[in-house]
């Protein structure tokens, strides 16, 4: 298992490196057969208005899937302990879900169309941060909506960008404020998507327990 440590605003000492290897390798020890690579990102956020936060983020690449966990506290070693426990739980859920899918493979319920939202930002002015603080690159193999929802739940974000295997388009699946999940599709000049059915650019989808029936 390949383990790579990155850092921001902190020097990676031998003691820190050894502690990361000890904790993260132990957390992933029962899942080495599905784990290809582990990236650990340690950082210290120095803001004079708040207490110094020391964060540990772990990203695991497992058989084409990405599993992510992040924790922060005022102590780096405590953050590493917390994120190691969290990533172990994520890995266990991932393995159980894979085994369950093999045992109970059932049809997937997918999208319920909703009217097109003409303006997503209203009277607000779009703003970008003054400085790009981090850039990430990742592969984007084609996947179904159900697979994208599973990835969203594994990475721990509130949205996930993916390439739709049915249309070839780049879509975004996200958590809705009032519950459930939504999907954003690109649309061309005539107000429709480039997909096969030409439906709306903004959809609701069913909850995950319906997407992964047991």
């Amino acid at each position: 298992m390949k383990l790579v440590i990155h850092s921001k605003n902190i020097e990676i000492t031998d003691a820190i490196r050894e502690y990361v290897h000890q904790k993260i390798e132990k957390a992933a020890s029962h899942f080495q057969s599905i784990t290809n690579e582990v990236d650990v990102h340690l950082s210290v956020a120095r803001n004079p208005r708040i207490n110094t936060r020391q964060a540990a983020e772990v990203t695991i690449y497992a058989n084409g899937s990405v599993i992510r966990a992040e924790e922060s506290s005022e102590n780096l070693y405590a953050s590493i302990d917390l994120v190691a426990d969290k990533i172990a739980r994520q890995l266990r859920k991932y393995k159980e879900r894979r085994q369950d899918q093999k045992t109970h493979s059932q049809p997937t319920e997918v999208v319920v169309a909703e009217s097109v939202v003409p303006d997503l930002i209203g009277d607000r002015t779009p703003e970008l941060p003054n400085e790009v603080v981090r850039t990430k690159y990742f592969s984007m193999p084609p996947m179904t909506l159900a697979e994208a929802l599973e990835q969203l739940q594994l990475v721990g974000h509130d949205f996930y960008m993916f390439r739709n295997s049915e249309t070839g388009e780049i879509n975004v699946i996200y958590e809705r404020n009032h519950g459930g999940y939504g999907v954003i599709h690109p649309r061309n000049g005539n107000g429709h998507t480039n997909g096969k059915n030409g439906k709306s650019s903004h959809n609701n989808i069913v909850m995950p327990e319906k997407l992964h029936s047991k």
Side-chain angles (χ1 to χ4, degrees):
M1 180 179 65
K2 180 182 178 182
L3 192 153
V4 181
I5 303 175
H6 310 273
S7 65
K8 180 180 179 182
N9 296 331
I10 186 173
E11 179 185 356
I12 304 299
T13 63
D14 290 340
I16 292 175
R17 187 180 304 278
E18 182 179 348
Y19 197 78
V20 168
H21 276 270
Q22 175 188 342
K23 290 293 182 177
I24 303 304
E25 288 178 355
K26 181 180 179 181
S29 60
H30 298 297
F31 310 96
Q32 292 194 23
S33 61
I34 62 172
T35 301
N36 307 120
E37 180 179 336
V38 181
D39 283 352
V40 180
H41 187 84
L42 307 177
S43 62
V44 175
R46 295 190 175 92
N47 188 327
R49 293 176 296 180
I50 61 174
N51 292 331
T52 299
R53 304 295 292 178
Q54 304 195 34
E57 176 185 333
V58 176
T59 304
I60 293 181
Y61 301 91
N63 294 342
S65 296
V66 179
I67 305 164
R68 177 186 169 277
E70 182 177 0
E71 291 288 348
S72 64
S73 68
E74 296 181 11
N75 181 280
L76 183 62
Y77 288 92
S79 299
I80 295 170
D81 287 341
L82 291 169
V83 81
D85 289 341
K86 189 173 183 179
I87 202 67
R89 293 194 300 271
Q90 291 282 74
L91 281 167
R92 186 163 55 250
K93 289 180 182 178
Y94 169 78
K95 189 172 183 179
E96 290 172 353
R97 189 175 298 158
R98 287 298 185 190
Q99 291 173 341
D100 204 48
Q101 286 176 349
K102 292 179 180 179
T103 306
H104 305 94
S105 179
Q106 296 185 10
T108 300
E109 297 182 36
V110 193
V111 179
V112 178
E114 189 182 73
S115 58
V116 174
V117 178
D119 187 355
L120 293 176
I121 64 172
D123 58 358
R124 293 174 294 169
T125 302
E127 295 182 1
L128 293 174
N130 294 328
E131 179 184 359
V132 176
V133 295
R134 192 173 178 190
T135 301
K136 290 186 177 181
Y137 299 90
F138 59 96
S139 61
M140 195 176 289
M143 64 179 63
T144 64
L145 184 60
E147 290 169 337
L149 177 56
E150 182 177 321
Q151 289 299 308
L152 172 65
Q153 295 166 341
L154 288 173
V155 299
H157 289 308
D158 53 8
F159 73 94
Y160 183 79
M161 182 179 294
F162 68 102
R163 185 180 300 278
N164 192 311
S165 59
E166 294 185 3
T167 64
E169 296 173 341
I170 302 300
N171 293 167
V172 175
I173 185 171
Y174 65 96
E175 294 184 10
R176 303 181 69 214
N177 291 335
H178 300 294
Y181 299 84
V183 181
I184 298 176
H185 301 274
R187 65 181 180 185
N188 53 29
N190 62 12
H192 296 290
T193 68
N194 295 321
K196 297 177 181 178
N197 56 14
K199 289 185 178 179
S200 63
S201 63
H202 194 174
N203 295 318
N204 287 333
I205 66 176
V206 295
M207 293 299 288
E209 59 267 20
K210 293 185 179 180
L211 279 170
H212 302 285
S213 303
K214 296 184 179 181

